[in-house]
Structure formats: structure tokens, C-alpha cells
Amino acid sequence: MFLLHTYDMGLIVQKFGGSSVADAEGMKRVAARIVATKRAGNQVVVVVSAMGDTTDELIDLANQITPMPTGRELDMLLTAGERISMALLAMAISNLGHEARSFTGSQAGVITDSAHGRARIIDVTPGRIQEALKEGAIAIVAGFQGISQDTKDITTLGRGGSDTTAVALAAALDADVCEIYTDVDGVFSADPRVVQQARKLKSVTYEEMLELAASGAKVLHLRCVEYARRFELPIHVRSSFSTNEGTWVVKNHPEGGTMEKAIIAGIAHDKSEAKITIVGVPDRTGVAARIFQAIADSDINIDMIVQNVSAAATGLTDISFTLPKSEGGDATAVLQKIQGEVGFKSIQYDDQIGKISLVGAGMRSHPGVTATFFAAMSEAGVNIEMISTSEIRISIICRATDVERGVKAAHTAFELDADSPEAVVYGGSGR
Ligand code: ADP
Ligand code: ASP
Ligand code: MG
């Protein structure tokens, strides 16, 4: 699998993120790279994101018009960002003497469900892409978007969703590899914007990458990793600003790979969640079920849950859970509606929390990980508010202001610090 980077006459899907195409210069640089891949004898399909922070700017603009834009119109607005990129990139490639044809997600056959803002891909029918490739053209596809099978409306796949477009297309086209080009040299042992001593991973397994992505390492969209795992499609995460070999996301670490012995592959952090505490909940069978059913019925995703033992004197307990901040308002409203029926005392909402997660397949066979992690947090003065674990992950909730200190302390405690800083952040605003 690691020989794939020689790419003799294959079909390659290359995805370029917003920071790689932030301006006209970036477009030209990326175009040259695409043309070089094509000249080496490959068929090339490119997926491109909106330029720089365009998506954020469009959201800000919508919010200046109305605090509650409808999903349909917001998706229509946001997909314009990727359309701008695809057309400019096609022009830049054409300028270099190669034919490039741009396609919207809908034209590329990305069929989704109708959940605006977080649509799931149901099917990919890339007939027009195959046609373009057959005729010798480079196909450029707008990332992050599709068309709803039911309503025929334009949908988006959730923030960071261009990665998923790329992997889904690569799977549908039976590509040899999906290359994700971004503003850092690969997947690192921690976010290079936070830990200067982060190490680049040569390889990371689908399993580890899923946990890292789900825990906030936004270098890859979670769904794209799920997709790649399902089709066993190798992903190569690398920088569009350098020619360095990046990180391979694969089923198993290759023989002799340095990561084999590592207990921890990486540390992820996330400041996008909030914590809700329901105070004074009657400790009776069926109460938790009632609360979480109401939350689920409103399509709210929750992450960690903690319930304390009830105080014997009162028979009351507290339940805390975490969820995306963006769903905090809805969740509070749902809970207020059932307060009388369930009979709890009050709701506390806290959006000043952060999450730190250690991920590594090696954790399975190393019992001391939790103790080392918690000792490092204690030494760094980070108070642990909630804990959750999976077989290959430990996550804690702490104050948002403690997150960066905690990540650095854990990185050092697990001896992940590189001897000399090797992580370069080439671009992007980190937004
Ligand atoms: P793009 O615009 O190319 O899609 P993103 O901003 O979505 O780029 O993802 C790249 C960013 O992910 C990096 O700039 C980095 O700050 C962040 N990141 C978080 N965790 C990691 C990690 N473990 N390894 C590499 N990058 C990470
Ligand atoms: N432009 C979209 C976003 O900013 C999709 C992507 O970049 O992957 O979320
Ligand atoms: Mg991204």
C-alpha cells in the first residue's frame, strides 16, 4: 500500500482545502500540482473547498439578515463558496494547457438525504465525471454538497464535509488513493497550532483516525474516515504547500512502522461542546429514558453522560451531559418542556468547557494510561469534570481555558514531544 505514492498510471482523487486555495496565487499553485499529477500519466479528479474562510463569511452574512435562516436557503448560499473555487481552479488548469471541467456536487452525482446542514451521502453516480475522464479532461468537483434524493434540493454535508465528498467519489470511482491536501504536513500527534513539538505520524489506522476525528481533530471529517474504512480506501493526508510525504490512513500500521510500539497515537481537543446539568432529578426507573428520548426525538446528538448516585435523604440525583454548542438552545428548550412532567429542579447550561482525548490502539494492552494522563492533568492544574472511555480512547472534560495547557502536558507526559519542532502550519486562519 505504501508504494502507492509512486502512482504509475492510476486514478487519483485529490482534495484541496480552503487554505490551499485562499487566493488566486493559491489556485495557480494547486493547478500546477494537479497538472503535474496528470502529466505523470494519471487520471485526476479534484475536489475543492471554498476559498479561505468563505464559508464562515457567508454564515456571518446570513446571520446579519436573519438569526434563523432556513436550512434550504443556507445550504444554497454556502454551496456557492465551492462553486466559485471549482470554476476558478478549472480556469487556472486550462491556463496551463490542460482541459478541466468543473461540476457541482449534484452534477457529479452526489445524492444525499434531505437533512440540510448535515446531509448524509446515500449514493454516488459519477457518470459525468467518468465521461470527462474518458475524454482526457481533469474533473473538478465542488466539495461539501449534494442533492437530496427526495426533495431535489441542494444540501451540504456539514462543516469540513469536502473531505467526505473526496473519499465518497474515490470509492465510487474505485480510485487508487484519495489525497487530502491541507495546510499542515499530515496528521500529527496533536494539533500543530497548539503543540509546536507535535510529531507527524507516518501512518494512522482507520480506527484511531475515527476516534481522533470524533474527538475534535478537524484535519479529517469524521464521515470521510468512516467511508474510507468501509471501502478500505487509503487516504494520504499531506500539505499542498510542500512536497513532503504526509500521513497514510490505512487499515493496519505497516510492518516495521514506528507507530507499532506507541501507546498513544495522538491527542485531540475540542472546544465546540457545552455541558447541560439537570439538577434534582427523581431517581426512579424510566426517568433517564424519558429525558434522553425527548432529546433524541429532537435530533440532538449527545456525547458524554454522567449521572451521580442520588442523595439518600432526598432521592434526587443530577445528570450531566455534553453536546455540540450549536444544539444547546434546542436541548434546553426541550428539557424545559418536560420539566413539569419529570419533576427535576433546574437546568444549568455551561458552554465554557473543553474536551481532551488520548487516542491509541496500544492503550488496549497498557493499563497505566489513565493514571499517567490524570497525573499529568493534576500537575498542570487542570481539574477533570467528566470522564469517558472507549477501548482505544480516554476523554476528559475540563474548563475551556485549561485545554491548551492540558494538551501540552499530556503530550509531554506520553513522551510524544519531537526533539526539535517539526510541525509547520503553512496557512489557514485556524477558524
Ligand atoms: P482544510 O481547510 O484543508 O480542510 P482544516 O482546517 O479543516 O483544513 O484542517 C486542517 C487543520 O486541522 C490544521 O491546520 C490543524 O490546525 C488542525 N488539526 C487539528 N488536529 C490536528 C492533528 N492531529 N494533525 C494535524 N492537524 C490537526
Ligand atoms: N467549505 C466547507 C467548510 O468550511 C467545507 C470544507 O471546507 O470542507 O466547512
Ligand atoms: Mg477540513
Side-chain angles (χ1 to χ4, degrees):
M1 202 163 272
F2 273 67
L3 294 175
L4 276 173
H5 62 269
T6 55
Y7 306 142
D8 351 319
M9 312 284 273
L11 197 167
I12 300 181
V13 175
Q14 300 187 318
K15 178 258 169 177
F16 295 91
S19 50
S20 298
V21 291
D23 50 22
E25 275 321 300
M27 287 283 176
K28 291 183 194 169
R29 188 171 41 82
V30 163
R33 190 145 195 162
I34 295 166
V35 164
T37 312
K38 170 80 176 154
R39 288 213 175 115
N42 302 288
Q43 293 188 304
V44 189
V45 176
V46 176
V47 172
V48 70
S49 294
M51 297 171 74
D53 290 331
T54 300
T55 309
D56 290 297
E57 287 156 14
L58 290 173
I59 293 173
D60 289 348
L61 193 56
N63 288 335
Q64 287 172 40
I65 306 267
T66 164
M68 299 277 272
T70 64
R72 183 187 187 281
E73 298 312 328
L74 189 60
D75 276 358
M76 197 59 116
L77 176 70
L78 298 189
T79 52
E82 269 69 13
R83 269 197 184 221
I84 293 171
S85 291
M86 71 178 189
L88 290 173
L89 190 55
M91 293 175 200
I93 292 172
S94 159
N95 234 5
L96 298 175
H98 281 261
E99 195 199 341
R101 284 182 215 164
S102 64
F103 299 93
T104 63
S106 157
Q107 289 174 319
V110 180
I111 319 281
T112 71
D113 62 18
S114 55
H116 284 293
R118 54 190 163 88
R120 279 185 173 268
I121 298 177
I122 310 173
D123 196 9
V124 183
T125 52
R128 296 194 65 185
I129 307 297
Q130 283 158 325
E131 210 175 290
L133 292 177
K134 215 185 291 161
E135 289 165 17
I138 294 168
I140 315 283
V141 179
F144 171 61
Q145 54 181 271
I147 180 165
S148 158
Q149 190 169 47
D150 296 339
T151 63
K152 307 291 178 235
D153 282 331
I154 297 300
T155 53
T156 62
L157 310 179
R159 297 307 306 274
S162 296
D163 298 339
T164 299
T165 306
V167 173
L169 267 176
L173 294 165
D174 200 18
D176 297 291
V177 61
C178 181
E179 295 188 315
I180 304 280
Y181 285 91
T182 184
D183 54 11
V184 288
D185 275 315
V187 180
F188 283 78
S189 52
D191 185 342
R193 285 180 206 272
V194 172
V195 182
Q196 276 82 41
Q197 314 284 82
R199 278 175 205 257
K200 184 171 73 188
L201 310 180
K202 284 200 169 69
S203 62
V204 61
T205 64
Y206 294 128
E207 191 190 29
E208 289 167 335
M209 196 62 230
L210 276 175
E211 294 278 8
L212 285 169
S215 307
K218 69 169 184 164
V219 61
L220 285 180
H221 195 228
L222 176 61
R223 298 242 195 88
C224 106
V225 189
E226 288 171 353
Y227 234 97
R229 178 172 66 169
R230 182 157 12 118
F231 294 93
E232 282 197 26
L233 184 93
I235 302 180
H236 187 185
V237 183
R238 58 195 308 191
S239 167
S240 72
F241 298 81
S242 80
T243 52
N244 298 338
E245 176 87 4
T247 301
W248 287 86
V249 188
V250 287
K251 190 170 176 201
N252 295 306
H253 291 296
E255 294 284 319
T258 49
M259 292 314 299
E260 267 181 332
K261 281 173 245 88
I263 302 170
I264 304 299
I267 302 174
H269 68 275
D270 190 356
K271 290 191 194 166
S272 69
E273 292 191 345
K275 177 170 83 171
I276 290 182
T277 302
I278 314 172
V279 181
V281 182
D283 195 1
R284 276 197 318 270
T285 309
V287 168
R290 178 71 193 99
I291 290 173
F292 289 105
Q293 190 59 52
I295 299 277
D297 288 346
S298 305
D299 249 351
I300 294 162
N301 291 302
I302 54 172
D303 181 15
M304 290 188 202
I305 305 177
V306 172
Q307 176 176 342
N308 295 325
V309 286
S310 60
T314 59
L316 297 178
T317 183
D318 296 343
I319 299 178
S320 295
F321 63 93
T322 61
L323 77 175
K325 274 181 198 164
S326 54
E327 298 178 10
D330 288 351
T332 318
V334 166
L335 290 173
Q336 273 160 354
K337 250 189 240 159
I338 60 166
Q339 179 166 9
E341 176 198 337
V342 174
F344 58 80
K345 283 200 174 132
S346 61
I347 303 163
Q348 288 171 1
Y349 183 72
D350 178 357
D351 62 3
Q352 297 302 308
I353 60 159
K355 185 167 73 172
I356 304 175
S357 304
L358 297 187
V359 173
M363 248 183 228
R364 285 196 180 98
S365 44
H366 286 80
V369 174
T370 311
T372 309
F373 183 24
F374 291 1
M377 293 307 99
S378 142
E379 268 162 48
V382 175
N383 186 40
I384 300 172
E385 299 180 18
M386 288 167 95
I387 302 162
S388 95
T389 60
S390 84
E391 220 185 332
I392 64 161
R393 176 186 51 79
I394 304 173
S395 303
I396 62 153
I397 297 291
C398 61
R399 290 293 91 202
T401 44
D402 288 348
V403 165
E404 304 202 346
R405 206 167 67 250
V407 169
K408 285 182 190 152
H411 201 266
T412 305
F414 286 94
E415 297 175 0
L416 295 171
D417 292 349
D419 301 333
S420 57
E422 56 179 51
V424 183
V425 177
Y426 296 95
S429 62
R431 197 168 169 182

